[in-house]
Amino acid sequence: MFRRILPLGLLGASLFCVNPQTLSAQSKQSPKQTITKSQVADQPQAEKTLTDSLSVQEGVYTDLKQALRHPQKVKVLVLSQIDSLPSSVGKLTNLKVLQIKNSKLTQLPASIGNLNQLEELHLSGNQLKSLPSSVGKLKSLQVLNVESNQLTRLPDSLMALPKLQVLKLANNQLKTLGAPLEKFSHVSELELRGNALGNIPLRKEELAKLPVYTSIEEALKNPSQVMRLELSGLKEVPSSIGSFANLKELNLSNGYLQSVPSSISELKSLQSLNLTNNQLSTLPSEIGDLSSLQELTLSLNPMERLPEQIGKLGNLKELTAMQTKLTSLPESVGNLKSLQQLNLHGNQLSALPESLGNLNKLGSLDIGSNALKGLPSSLGNLKELTRFSASGNRLESLPKELGNMDKLTSLNLTDNKLTQLPELGKLKNLESLQLSQNKLSALPESLGELSKLKQLNLNQNGLASLPESLGGLSQLQGLHLDKNQLTSLPESVGKLTNLKSIGLEGNPLEKLPDGLGELKQLESFRLDTSLLSQTELSKLRLNMSKTLVPEWVTRGWGNK
């Protein structure tokens, strides 16, 4: 990942990767010599980090002696081919960017801490084995790049940099960060790949940059360096799998595995395990020993149960088990306190444990296409849930606690046997509500309180009327009511001024509200006109002429 942080006050320019040769003429002639875009035009695009709109003028130096003659004027210092940095560099108190890349620098002077205006420090490709504790005094530092050095440890003071946003530590010799990863939560871009950090988790973006080994023989040549391993078509897991102490990602999908060996527990650094599309009927109890595991994918296996020990995976964030043969979940699933996504679509679940309500970080839950007849009331405790799908089940009712999920943006209950809904007025963030293919005969008045709702699908129910409160859905864009028993619509429909599409086919409509002409954004209006009188048809055509519905559509409506 490459991101540019702009130093404040430096003419909007950022010097992430400046070519020192480009700047050398400037520093030798005069500290006020202007560098124009033409001077960097022949550089690779990735190295053109001078601002596109301005030339860098006063304050840019590539010669240390020149810089020290004008210490208060130096804002950017780019050096190359040096093996040491004198303590006098601490005199450059207005310095904002210091770059010494691909040199032979072995250490930094303690005086580096005097650079209290420094915002970017680029030291990649040197021979640094440590950083002075005075780095912690750089309170303005936003970017620190020390990739490809020989660092074995970090100073504790590094965690005290309040403005640090980018920290690049890749390809060093770090075995620890010296502090829990949570201490770096303020850093938006943290690169750790190419170290021997063991149990320290890597972000997905970091993992994606690492090489993937697809041969167990190649991987075993240097097992400590293997962090991503992908072996497909296996009939059994190699007995040597425990040799990869630093393995972060293991993909064993699309094979013929009938079991997973207990030795899987030796992979203490494993973050992602993909077992999709094998012949697994269960998992070993030792799966619970994978203390670093964040993602577990089990889809397309004839799996009938999950071991109780799965509840020990305290760092698990994503659990996916689609289209297996699961009939139940262990109570221990409620112990997965870090879980953010749970996808159990297409199984044979007939009930869910009450403990599911303990997953207070869960943001997405898909239990669609199972055999559920009811939902536990504890689901109302899932305060962080934003997406919930229980489509394709046998639900006849919903717990009233469902109305407490006030962060929900999407609720899909399509293809069930629902005859009524609980109060939904608290779902103030709901944008999509899918209720087609149920047995609803009425809707609660509280439906009109869903002020952010954009899509409402009630196709194929038994609705004979709609609540007047429907007009409160001020953001509604799609209203789908095909195949119900509606003979009319409430007058309040005319208040739905953001509506773009209405579906009313398969309803015995005899009368439509006069306010339809107020729907200026309406583009699609589908209905059967067979029961409408000539007067109603004429009025409808007039109303549609005030909308965006094409005239050829209204011409196709039959006359009486």
Side-chain angles (χ1 to χ4, degrees), residues 63 96 105 154 207 209 323 353 396 412 472 492 502:
D63 183 273
K96 292 182 178 293
L105 198 62
L154 298 174
L207 276 174
K209 296 175 183 177
Q323 298 183 45
E396 297 180 0
N412 188 349
S492 62
I502 302 179

Side-chain angles (χ1 to χ4, degrees), residues 173-281:
Q173 299 173 20
L174 296 170
K175 294 183 179 179
T176 178
L177 292 180
L181 197 62
E182 291 76 17
K183 294 289 186 180
F184 296 88
S185 59
H186 61 293
V187 178
S188 58
E189 184 177 339
L190 177 62
E191 297 196 0
L192 299 172
R193 69 187 187 280
N195 286 283
L197 288 169
N199 289 342
I200 299 295
L202 297 183
R203 298 178 182 179
K204 283 186 177 181
E205 313 89 75
E206 282 286 287
L207 276 174
K209 296 175 183 177
L210 299 176
V212 180
Y213 287 79
T214 57
S215 164
I216 189 69
E217 291 77 17
E218 284 297 316
L220 286 170
K221 290 178 181 179
N222 199 352
S224 64
Q225 296 298 313
V226 179
M227 291 195 179
R228 300 177 73 193
L229 183 59
E230 182 176 324
L231 304 171
S232 59
L234 294 180
K235 292 184 177 180
E236 60 180 24
V237 179
S239 57
S240 56
I241 197 69
S243 303
F244 303 102
N246 295 317
L247 192 64
K248 303 287 186 184
E249 183 180 286
L250 177 58
N251 187 342
L252 300 175
S253 61
N254 302 317
Y256 307 93
L257 299 175
Q258 296 184 10
S259 64
V260 175
S262 58
S263 59
I264 195 82
S265 63
E266 298 174 25
L267 303 178
K268 301 299 185 183
S269 298
L270 197 65
Q271 293 177 215
S272 175
L273 176 59
N274 188 344
L275 295 166
T276 299
N277 195 22
N278 279 281
Q279 298 174 13
L280 298 169
S281 58

Side-chain angles (χ1 to χ4, degrees), residues 219-499:
L220 286 170
K221 290 178 181 179
N222 199 352
S224 64
Q225 296 298 313
V226 179
M227 291 195 179
R228 300 177 73 193
L229 183 59
E230 182 176 324
L231 304 171
S232 59
L234 294 180
K235 292 184 177 180
E236 60 180 24
V237 179
S239 57
S240 56
I241 197 69
S243 303
F244 303 102
N246 295 317
L247 192 64
K248 303 287 186 184
E249 183 180 286
L250 177 58
N251 187 342
L252 300 175
S253 61
N254 302 317
Y256 307 93
L257 299 175
Q258 296 184 10
S259 64
V260 175
S262 58
S263 59
I264 195 82
S265 63
E266 298 174 25
L267 303 178
K268 301 299 185 183
S269 298
L270 197 65
Q271 293 177 215
S272 175
L273 176 59
N274 188 344
L275 295 166
T276 299
N277 195 22
N278 279 281
Q279 298 174 13
L280 298 169
S281 58
T282 187
L283 294 173
S285 59
E286 288 81 5
I287 197 78
D289 296 333
L290 298 178
S291 56
S292 297
L293 200 64
Q294 297 182 13
E295 298 179 21
L296 178 58
T297 307
L298 305 169
S299 302
L300 297 171
N301 278 284
M303 193 167 292
E304 300 175 356
R305 64 181 182 86
L306 297 176
E308 277 288 337
Q309 289 81 359
I310 201 168
K312 295 168 61 178
L313 300 177
N315 287 307
L316 196 66
K317 294 181 179 180
E318 299 179 21
L319 175 57
T320 303
M322 298 172 60
Q323 298 183 45
T324 71
K325 293 185 177 181
L326 290 175
T327 57
S328 63
L329 297 177
E331 276 291 330
S332 64
V333 75
N335 297 331
L336 302 176
K337 296 300 178 65
S338 297
L339 202 64
Q340 298 173 12
Q341 296 182 34
L342 178 57
N343 191 335
L344 299 168
H345 189 96
N347 288 288
Q348 299 174 19
L349 297 171
S350 58
L352 298 175
E354 284 286 341
S355 63
L356 211 58
N358 297 334
L359 304 178
N360 54 21
K361 290 186 179 180
L362 198 65
S364 177
L365 174 60
D366 189 343
I367 49 175
S369 298
N370 278 279
L372 298 168
K373 294 182 178 180
L375 299 176
S377 59
S378 63
L379 290 186
N381 298 329
L382 302 179
K383 300 298 186 181
E384 297 300 315
L385 201 66
T386 60
R387 301 182 66 84
F388 179 33
S389 176
S391 63
N393 280 282
R394 304 171 187 172
L395 300 174
E396 297 180 0
S397 64
L398 300 172
K400 65 180 187 300
E401 290 81 3
L402 191 71
N404 297 331
M405 298 178 179
D406 53 11
K407 287 191 178 181
L408 271 185
T409 60
S410 175
L411 176 58
N412 188 349
L413 296 165
T414 299
D415 191 17
N416 278 283
K417 298 180 179 182
L418 298 172
T419 57
Q420 60 182 1
L421 298 176
E423 293 298 311
L424 301 174
K426 293 182 181 179
L427 305 183
K428 302 297 186 183
N429 291 298
L430 199 63
E431 297 179 2
S432 175
L433 179 56
Q434 306 293 322
L435 292 164
S436 63
Q437 296 175 260
N438 277 283
K439 297 182 178 182
L440 297 170
S441 58
L443 300 174
E445 283 288 336
S446 60
L447 186 70
E449 300 174 26
L450 306 180
S451 57
K452 292 186 179 181
L453 197 66
K454 295 179 180 179
Q455 296 292 330
L456 176 57
N457 192 332
L458 290 158
N459 289 343
Q460 294 180 250
N461 277 279
L463 297 170
S465 64
L466 299 175
E468 193 67 34
S469 65
L470 195 70
L473 304 178
S474 57
Q475 300 300 313
L476 198 65
Q477 297 178 13
L479 178 58
H480 309 283
L481 296 161
D482 294 338
K483 297 184 180 180
N484 279 279
Q485 301 299 317
L486 298 170
T487 57
S488 64
L489 298 179
E491 288 293 333
S492 62
V493 168
K495 298 178 181 180
L496 304 177
T497 53
N498 284 303
L499 206 57

Side-chain angles (χ1 to χ4, degrees), residues 58-78:
E58 190 172 344
V60 182
Y61 291 76
T62 62
D63 183 273
L64 183 57
K65 291 182 180 179
Q66 282 272 8
L68 291 172
R69 289 175 189 153
H70 311 276
Q72 299 306 307
K73 295 182 179 181
V74 184
K75 294 183 179 179
V76 178
L77 180 59
V78 181

